[in-house]
Each structure stands twice: as C-alpha cells, then as structure tokens.
Amino acid sequence: VQSEGILAFVQKATNMISKKANMKPKKLAFVMASIPSNQTEVLATFKGDVSILKDNIFATFDELKMGPNPGKMICCKIINNLEKPMDVPMCFAVMDAKGSASCLSIYNTSKSILDQVKTSYEAIIIDPFLTVIDFKHGEKRFTYGSIKVLDLRKFFINGMALEAQFAKSEIVH
C-alpha cells in the first residue's frame, strides 16, 4: 500500500513539474516575471540581514551541479504543494525566473509548514543540494530534479527566515 502512495506521489510530482502546475502561458509569464532573476533583485526583496546572502552567488536551477552547491543561492516561486503519504520531507513544485521547474524537498519540519508556505510564495535557498529522482515502474520512467533543504537556517520564505514565521516547536534543528 505504501509503495502505491509513493508511485502516486512520483507521478504527480513528475506531472506538476513537467507541466509547470498546468499554468496557462499568460500566468506562466506573469509568475516568471515576478521571480528575482539576479543577485541585486534578490537582495532588494530580502527582509532580513542581507549579509546572510551577500557571500552567495545567485544561480538558476540549470546552473546548479548535482549534490551540494556551497556558496550559491537560488530564488524560486512555489507553484504547487506536492502532498504525499509520508510526513517528511515536505515537497513543493517550484519554478525559477528562467521557467525551469523542480521539486523542493524541505526536511526537519512538520506538516504545519503546509499551512504557512503557499503557492506563489517566494523561496530563497542558500547552498542548495540538487538530486535527480529517477523512478521506473513497469515500462514508465519518471525523472525530475529535487532541491533538498536540510538546514532550515538557509531557507527563506517571502524574504524572511523560516524561523521568523513559525513557532520553534514546528522546526526541528
């Protein structure tokens, strides 16, 4: 039964990411235009201490290498919540300013994050960790990129530290 839930999640994630949450071209263009596309734009929208970001180089999804990307930061919009049967990680379909889509997997938190992190919110991730999910079921293959957030101190929503938006009991360090 759990394997059926995992298969359903992988199918949904692949579909949402490849079809960019089924957004119509006009909405897709609007969303892409609202995402900071360079370091200056990210710093201008950041509500916290910008020194946290200044030592990191802005990157888009296609500029990330597999595995850890120390010294880089990405900015993206959440385009859909990818609910799944397991509690961890919390997953979202996200898109960067170039229109590339990926899965954002957030570890070390609880399901209550789903009430706070919503579609159209902007996310900034410092030192992103890129993996590829490659899943084969029968004759079908499902593949998509996944950006892991393991350290919540390097994850910001709408220009604010995640910790500033949630009770301490909702975050696990």
Side-chain angles (χ1 to χ4, degrees), residues 87-88 90 107-114 169-172:
D87 285 348
V88 178
M90 300 299 129
Y107 292 80
N108 302 315
T109 188
S110 68
K111 275 201 169 207
S112 63
I113 195 174
L114 300 175
S169 63
E170 296 174 315
I171 296 177
V172 180

Side-chain angles (χ1 to χ4, degrees), residues 15-63:
N15 189 41
M16 282 291 144
I17 292 163
S18 66
K19 294 182 179 177
K20 297 179 178 134
N22 296 316
M23 279 191 263
K24 299 208 179 326
K26 193 173 182 178
K27 179 162 183 170
L28 183 63
F30 175 77
V31 170
M32 285 173 51
S34 72
I35 303 169
S37 61
N38 59 54
Q39 186 108 6
T40 303
E41 290 177 7
V42 171
L43 293 174
T45 62
F46 193 70
K47 296 177 177 88
D49 178 4
V50 294
S51 66
I52 295 167
L53 303 179
K54 283 198 174 192
D55 292 335
N56 296 284
I57 298 166
F58 177 85
T60 56
F61 296 164
D62 62 346
E63 294 169 325

Side-chain angles (χ1 to χ4, degrees), residues 67 74 89 102-107 125-133 145-151 155:
I74 56 172
S102 184
C103 176
L104 177 64
S105 301
I106 306 170
Y107 292 80
I125 299 105
I126 298 173
D127 301 336
F129 191 102
L130 179 64
T131 61
V132 170
I133 306 301
S146 180
I147 298 161
K148 291 183 180 182
V149 174
L150 302 170
D151 184 349
F155 179 64

